[in-house]
Amino acid sequence: MLVANSCLAKLLFAIDLLGLIIWSLKNDLKQISYQDSLCIFRGYLVKATIAAQFDSYLLQAIYRYITVIYPTRLFWQSKQFQGFLIGLTWVCAFIFAIPHVATGEIQYNADNQMCETPFHLSFIIIYNVVYGYFIPLNGIMFIYVKLILYVKEMNKRVTPVNTVSRAQRELKMVHRIVILVMILLVLGVPYTIFVIMGFFTQPPKYHLRISYTFLYISLLFIMITLFQFTDPVKTYIMKKIKRQSNIIAATTIQMNEVR
């Protein structure tokens, strides 16, 4: 459920970004600057879905931590409790994005053909960084380090093999979450640079286009990484590709024989 929740957050984020691309491209082709009725909503949804993504990663990390540290507390691992937490994170994500709209900070930028919070020193920018990025990222890294130390301690004392294996498996899953988060962080560097630049001076004219281009790329890398991490899906797709290649090869051989 938790992994599916992260995928849902990515999907909604990708759909929203696609809407941004289509609208920007449409206005560019027509060479007009026009704020449509959904512009503010798309800007709002970007904030909400990004927060939902990071919250979903944090939720996964917390679940892995509880599974290892408190394996007997089955209620915390139940689907009902997971569903409750998933719903809570989505509610928090959408509430988190409301101040951006309520304060009028999400504004139409004609140069970049999108609605986004201007990069300048303001409460909303600080609020966005702290809640949207700082808290979940630090939470994930804290859990990751705690699990590493816990697994090392388990290896030093006599512990059932299945317990150690489970802890190592959950640690591996958190490690994968950290990799996904690092992809977002690395490809989000231009966005971060422009935000910091906005504290002191005016960012470049097309700073939003540049920032969002790297966000598009990050989605591609995340999909590739998830493909590598998800062995059943990877095996299934590789079998399909191999089978298709064999069919093409057999067809080619038959055609050559006929000739």
mmCIF file of all heavy atoms in Angstrom, residues 38 45 68 188:
data_model
loop_
_atom_site.group_PDB
_atom_site.id
_atom_site.type_symbol
_atom_site.label_atom_id
_atom_site.label_comp_id
_atom_site.label_asym_id
_atom_site.label_seq_id
_atom_site.Cartn_x
_atom_site.Cartn_y
_atom_site.Cartn_z
ATOM 1 N N LEU A 38 -7.266 27.423 -14.890
ATOM 2 C CA LEU A 38 -6.678 26.329 -14.105
ATOM 3 C C LEU A 38 -5.218 26.585 -13.732
ATOM 4 O O LEU A 38 -4.586 25.729 -13.117
ATOM 5 C CB LEU A 38 -6.772 25.014 -14.895
ATOM 6 C CG LEU A 38 -8.183 24.472 -15.152
ATOM 7 C CD1 LEU A 38 -8.108 23.215 -16.014
ATOM 8 C CD2 LEU A 38 -8.900 24.172 -13.843
ATOM 9 N N LEU A 45 -1.456 22.345 -7.221
ATOM 10 C CA LEU A 45 -1.315 20.890 -7.274
ATOM 11 C C LEU A 45 0.151 20.469 -7.300
ATOM 12 O O LEU A 45 0.512 19.422 -6.747
ATOM 13 C CB LEU A 45 -2.042 20.343 -8.507
ATOM 14 C CG LEU A 45 -2.362 18.843 -8.501
ATOM 15 C CD1 LEU A 45 -3.204 18.478 -7.291
ATOM 16 C CD2 LEU A 45 -3.084 18.448 -9.785
ATOM 17 N N VAL A 68 11.129 -3.184 11.976
ATOM 18 C CA VAL A 68 12.383 -3.718 12.519
ATOM 19 C C VAL A 68 12.458 -3.553 14.035
ATOM 20 O O VAL A 68 12.780 -4.499 14.764
ATOM 21 C CB VAL A 68 13.593 -3.021 11.857
ATOM 22 C CG1 VAL A 68 14.899 -3.448 12.532
ATOM 23 C CG2 VAL A 68 13.650 -3.353 10.377
ATOM 24 N N GLY A 188 17.116 18.607 -8.368
ATOM 25 C CA GLY A 188 16.435 19.808 -7.900
ATOM 26 C C GLY A 188 17.395 20.923 -7.529
ATOM 27 O O GLY A 188 16.966 21.976 -7.040
#
